[in-house]
Amino acid sequence: MPDLLPLLGSALVLGLLGGGHCLGMCGGLMGALTLAIPPEQRSRRLRLLLAYNLGRIFSYASAGLLLGLAGWAVARSPAALGLRVVAALLLIAMGLYLAGWWSGLTRIEALGRGLWRHIQPVASRLLPVSSLPRALLLGALWGWLPCGLVYSTLLWAASQGNAGYSAALMLAFGLGTWPVLLATGLAAERVNALLRRRSVRVAGGVLVMLFGVWTLPGPHQHWLMGH
């Protein structure tokens, strides 16, 4: 557990710093879901928004568990090293994207579009939302929306070689994305404006890139530990 705590903190920060990307990918959807709440349900808006996001985070954790099982299966094989290198490179790409220096990360979102074409019609049939279970299910489907940020974090989580750790890391990552998307759904602008600031995005991007460098296997890890 002591080894897991720093990783959980990192996953939480990744989700929070990725808030700008979440606004681009999910902000419009979050607004649409809010507008889709029937007038007689408006007094329950906060509970419905929480249910949306709880379902979404459940999907992240489930994906972390599934891919984490694959990471666990290869944990003691040469493939584990390759998985960790790819995860580190994706984290560096994520940092470049968050800082606004390179947007190549978005290209891997095409990997999930085929699956989303099958999920989207099912999600559409759940609108308008009229109950908490319906909102929870809709959020769970929403969690499979193609997202380069999620894919990068998912691969990093899977590279830990422990399915339980992977699920926990994706859960922490999802919780990190909550403030921005919840604020968007409630039409709160202060958090959104803060995370859209150039200085905040650059600082966050640099931190994520440093974490990617740390994730890369090599002697530099021992040097960093010593300092």
Side-chain angles (χ1 to χ4, degrees):
M1 181 61 72
D3 293 337
L4 179 60
L5 292 179
L7 293 173
L8 288 173
S10 300
L12 193 68
V13 170
L14 284 174
L16 181 60
L17 294 178
H21 181 69
C22 290
L23 284 177
M25 286 295 297
C26 304
L29 179 58
M30 194 68 181
L33 291 177
T34 304
L35 292 174
I37 298 174
E40 64 273 14
Q41 298 284 329
R42 291 296 169 87
S43 61
R44 302 173 62 198
R45 174 179 293 184
L46 179 58
R47 281 179 287 173
L48 291 173
L49 291 176
L50 288 172
Y52 289 145
N53 283 281
L54 186 61
R56 177 177 59 87
I57 293 172
F58 175 78
S59 291
Y60 291 167
S62 299
L65 180 64
L66 292 174
L67 200 58
L69 289 171
W72 169 78
V74 302
R76 299 187 181 276
S77 72
L81 181 62
L83 180 63
R84 191 168 183 84
V85 169
V86 172
L89 293 176
L90 283 175
L91 283 171
I92 294 172
M94 186 195 305
L96 291 169
Y97 175 82
L98 293 176
W101 294 334
W102 186 61
S103 59
L105 179 67
T106 57
R107 296 174 188 170
I108 71 170
E109 292 169 0
L111 297 175
R113 287 174 188 162
L115 176 63
W116 181 245
R117 277 196 294 268
H118 295 287
I119 295 176
Q120 187 176 22
V122 179
S124 298
R125 286 198 290 270
L126 292 172
L127 295 173
V129 175
S130 56
S131 65
L132 290 177
R134 201 177 182 96
L136 189 66
L137 180 57
L138 183 59
L141 294 174
W142 168 24
W144 298 98
L145 183 74
C147 176
L149 178 67
V150 173
Y151 294 163
S152 302
T153 309
L154 186 58
L155 194 58
W156 164 67
S159 72
Q160 305 305 316
N162 183 306
Y165 277 24
S166 299
L169 291 177
M170 291 306 296
L171 179 64
F173 166 78
L175 289 174
T177 65
W178 239 8
V180 173
L181 291 178
L182 196 57
T184 301
L186 294 173
E189 298 296 333
R190 291 186 179 179
V191 175
N192 299 347
L194 175 64
L195 292 176
R196 281 180 167 178
R197 287 184 182 175
R198 175 70 177 168
S199 59
V200 174
R201 290 180 61 82
V202 169
V206 170
L207 285 173
V208 173
M209 283 187 282
L210 288 174
F211 191 70
V213 172
W214 162 255
T215 303
L216 278 171
H220 63 286
Q221 291 184 332
H222 298 288
W223 182 83
L224 288 172
M225 283 293 289
H227 292 75

